[in-house]
Amino acid sequence: MTAPVLKFESETAQSFLEEVMSRSGQNIIACYQCRRCAAGCPVGEETGYVTPDRLIRMILFGDREKALSNDLVWKCTSCYTCGTRCPNEIQTARITETLKQMSKEEHIAPLAPKVAAFHHAFLTSTRHLGRLNELEFMGLYEIKNTFKDLWHLNFKSLYNEGISQTKLGLAMTKNKRMHFLIEKVKGLSEIKRLYKKAKKKRDSKEILPDQG
Amino acid sequence: MEIGYFPGCTLHASSRLYDVQTKEVLGELGIDLRELEDWNCCGATSASKTDDFLAIALPARNLGIADASGLSEMVIPCSACYSRMLVAQSRMASNEKLKAEINEELSEKVKGDIKIRSILEVMIPKAESGELAEKATKKLKGLKPVCYYGCLQTRFPLDIPVPDDVENPQGMEILLKALGVKALDWSYKTDCCGASAAVNDADTAIRLMSRIFKDAVARGANCFVTTCPMCQLNMDAYQNDVGEACGISERLPVYFITELIGVAMGKPVKELQIDRHFVDAVGLLKELDLI
Ligand code: SF4
Ligand code: SF4
């Protein structure tokens, strides 16, 4: 798909680039646009014109708005294929992860709210018990989705979601893949302290180096 | 020989069968597993996608417990847990400040000694020494598997060494060869199944899985073999939707590597819980007269 022409934002380009580079730990300026990453990206057909190389281009040009909110940022599965093949060792998965976090900090509504709800529910459930409880997690995730769909009166989406998750749940139970035991970690206070520290770091925008 | 064992949340829930099989099969090979005490969730990709600190700190607590266990190595069958623990260990080794900050909150401090092993790394030496073939004597004739590794068995951040070939891994092929099975060549062994997208972005995941499924069928495979519980669950639970989406009526069972080894060891289906698949996994074994 043809990409729109990018405009170089001279005022903001450098600071944005520096922020993404230091937070993701990726040497974005080494990219020479060979597109090897794009050739192997499994979600390439789902993300319109935004391939890993073009996402990098957006960042280099300082197009903050587009870089923080596009399909690749939300559809990237962090499969690490692009980074494994990049001749300049640029791990785009780390860049999409960074951009997701930055867009959240800037209160930009996620392009894929279900993806955001999923990870939020996962980490909430893990915080609660120290281990992921699949039932609690799916419950939290569905509540968030349902609420959003009700709010927008999106009944079709509600219906489809209900059908697909019920189908999965029933099949899981039938095949004895569903387990109803609740496991709780004894050292839960340690986990809570780690979560607290994480929040402090998020709030103070502390950057952790070399996340590779 | 006793080694540490980190099952992770999935092996205690929807992939309990993998936990059961891992213990059965490794036990038979003389490897006793000591489950890590009071382990916690590694945060999986949810932490790595949304919180850089938790992505290291959650696995770190487990590493501290493992370091204090007195054991020298630990097996992690789940690919996601395996890769997250590798990353956490490596990040803390190269960043003293981060390590100190995390250790401050932990009762068992991370030293960084424990050797982290995938389930393949633990079994390959047993295949090479001939012990696996000795214990797994039933020939799995007629099985035409494609080995499906997915993402996290071999693709890590670039500074972490990969114990297999990144683009064309051979670990499962080596084990199957010891059982007298030749795995088929195919093009999608390390492609992504979509992982959590199956739940939160279903259309994308179905398209990703369709490509994988189509190639497996086109090559003439009669089953998948995998080590990753996420890949297993996705390719198994969503195969009907995937098959419908690409107009293929065949269904292929998706075995964990431990199931095939268990069968070759003569272990009963019920004990291995092979009857707990979404796509029937017992029928093919019966048809081929393997059970
Ligand atoms: S493979 Fe690397 S250098 Fe080539 S376009 Fe992609 S990110 Fe840039
Ligand atoms: S990590 Fe993301 S951007 Fe890179 S190949 Fe995988 S899906 Fe595409």
Side-chain angles (χ1 to χ4, degrees), chain A residues 46 79 177 197 201-202, chain B residues 14 51 101 104 155 207:
Chain A
E46 323 290 325
C79 75
R177 297 286 284 257
K197 209 164 213 174
K201 285 182 186 291
R202 279 200 309 271
Chain B
S14 53
D51 193 303
E101 272 184 305
E104 206 175 71
R155 276 195 303 273
R207 277 196 280 272

Side-chain angles (χ1 to χ4, degrees), chain A residues 161-174:
Chain A
E161 185 70 27
I163 295 279
S164 69
Q165 299 311 344
T166 312
K167 231 170 69 185
L168 178 66
L170 287 175
M172 297 253 298
T173 312
K174 179 174 146 257

Side-chain angles (χ1 to χ4, degrees), chain B residues 85-149:
Chain B
M85 301 273 240
L86 277 177
V87 173
Q89 193 175 50
S90 148
R91 290 296 165 265
M92 285 194 289
S94 63
N95 188 336
E96 282 298 328
K97 182 172 163 266
L98 179 65
K99 186 171 161 187
E101 272 184 305
I102 292 173
N103 271 342
E104 206 175 71
E105 311 299 338
L106 300 179
S107 52
E108 307 286 9
K109 316 287 181 207
V110 175
K111 295 192 213 74
D113 302 334
I114 193 88
K115 276 200 205 67
I116 298 166
R117 301 270 192 230
S118 74
I119 191 152
L120 296 177
E121 285 174 285
V122 173
M123 287 197 285
I124 288 169
K126 300 286 178 188
E128 285 165 346
S129 69
E131 280 167 88
L132 177 59
E134 246 166 60
K135 300 278 182 193
T137 46
K138 186 174 272 174
K139 292 283 164 269
L140 303 182
K141 256 209 165 114
L143 223 50
K144 288 182 278 176
V146 282
C147 298
Y148 181 44
Y149 293 80

